[in-house]
């Protein structure tokens, strides 16, 4: 964990006039029954498989008087490593941040020696999820099926609706630009 992250928390604690306390770095394992509802809003025709445990990362400072300070956004990213089921297809999996509102956020990551590794800028719940998109117009054995599945799993392409991909349709300039933005992970700035 970068020193800047700890400094960020201590500055927050000082601003809240918290003194004489304890710094806690927590990595909690969520029971699978609590994790399944967090997969809720992946597109309807997507088969999502939880490929790792769900870990809840947090950093807080608790003063002796019971008051606490915590941070969610990090000034500097931290590196997380999650072990995943070795039976999954790494081309169809990635790290997701599981939000309490049921909207999983694709983070990505790299598969290295049986672990998924990624930098994250927020504390929260993270897991490895394997996704298989089920487009009704991309039949099994279609010449581009594997590439479409991989790009959809990485959320670079997403089809024309929840069940259609329309592989023979021309791509507009706006759609191509959107593909580049997602592939390069560009932000608004």
């Amino acid at each position: 964990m970068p020193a800047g992250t700890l400094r960020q928390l201590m500055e927050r604690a000082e601003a809240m006039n918290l003194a004489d306390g304890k710094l806690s770095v927590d990595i909690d394992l969520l029971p699978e029954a609590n994790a399944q509802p967090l997969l809720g809003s992946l597109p309807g025709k997507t088969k999502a498989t939880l490929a790792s445990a769900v870990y809840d990362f947090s950093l807080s400072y608790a003063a002796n008087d019971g008051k606490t300070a915590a941070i969610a956004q990090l000034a500097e990213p931290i590196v997380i490593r999650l072990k995943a089921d070795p039976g999954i297809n790494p081309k169809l999996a990635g790290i997701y941040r599981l939000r309490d509102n049921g909207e999983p956020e694709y983070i990505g990551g790299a598969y290295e020696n049986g672990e998924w590794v990624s930098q994250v800028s927020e504390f929260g719940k993270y897991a490895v999820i394997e996704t298989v998109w089920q487009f009704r117009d991309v039949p099994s054995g279609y010449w581009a099926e594997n590439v479409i599945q991989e790009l959809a799993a990485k959320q670079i392409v997403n089809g024309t609706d929840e069940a259609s991909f329309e592989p023979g349709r021309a791509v507009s300039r706006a759609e191509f630009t959107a593909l580049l933005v997602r592939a390069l992970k560009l932000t608004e700035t």
Side-chain angles (χ1 to χ4, degrees), residues 105-180:
E105 176 188 354
Y106 179 74
I107 303 297
Y111 186 67
E112 301 171 358
N113 302 320
E115 294 179 325
W116 281 87
V117 181
S118 183
Q119 289 189 344
V120 297
S121 297
E122 291 180 80
F123 285 110
K125 299 172 187 78
Y126 291 90
V128 176
I129 299 174
E130 179 184 41
T131 58
V132 178
W133 288 58
Q134 299 169 341
F135 297 116
R136 68 175 171 252
D137 55 357
V138 180
S140 181
Y142 182 71
W143 69 272
E145 176 190 17
N146 292 337
V147 174
I148 292 169
Q149 284 293 330
E150 186 175 344
L151 292 174
K154 291 177 176 23
Q155 295 191 351
I156 295 170
V157 300
N158 52 17
T160 55
D161 63 37
E162 285 191 356
S164 300
F165 185 77
E166 297 184 33
R169 185 176 67 81
V171 176
S172 71
R173 287 186 296 219
E175 290 169 331
F176 182 72
T177 302
L179 290 172
L180 286 176

Side-chain angles (χ1 to χ4, degrees), residues 31-90:
E32 190 170 339
N34 294 2
Q36 286 297 59
L38 299 174
L39 300 179
S41 75
L42 287 167
K45 296 293 181 182
T46 305
K47 179 183 169 209
T49 305
L50 203 54
S52 75
V54 177
Y55 296 94
D56 190 356
F57 298 95
S58 63
L59 177 66
S60 62
Y61 180 84
N64 290 337
D65 64 3
K67 295 180 183 174
T68 62
I71 54 173
Q73 277 301 118
L74 303 169
E76 300 175 45
I78 60 171
V79 175
I80 61 170
R81 295 177 175 277
L82 303 178
K83 288 219 179 270
D85 178 357
I88 65 167
N89 182 345

Side-chain angles (χ1 to χ4, degrees), residues 5-15 18 23 61 71:
T5 301
L6 298 176
R7 195 169 24 260
Q8 180 184 2
L9 177 63
M10 294 313 295
E11 287 170 0
R12 182 174 178 127
E14 287 172 11
L18 302 182
L23 181 73
Y61 180 84
I71 54 173

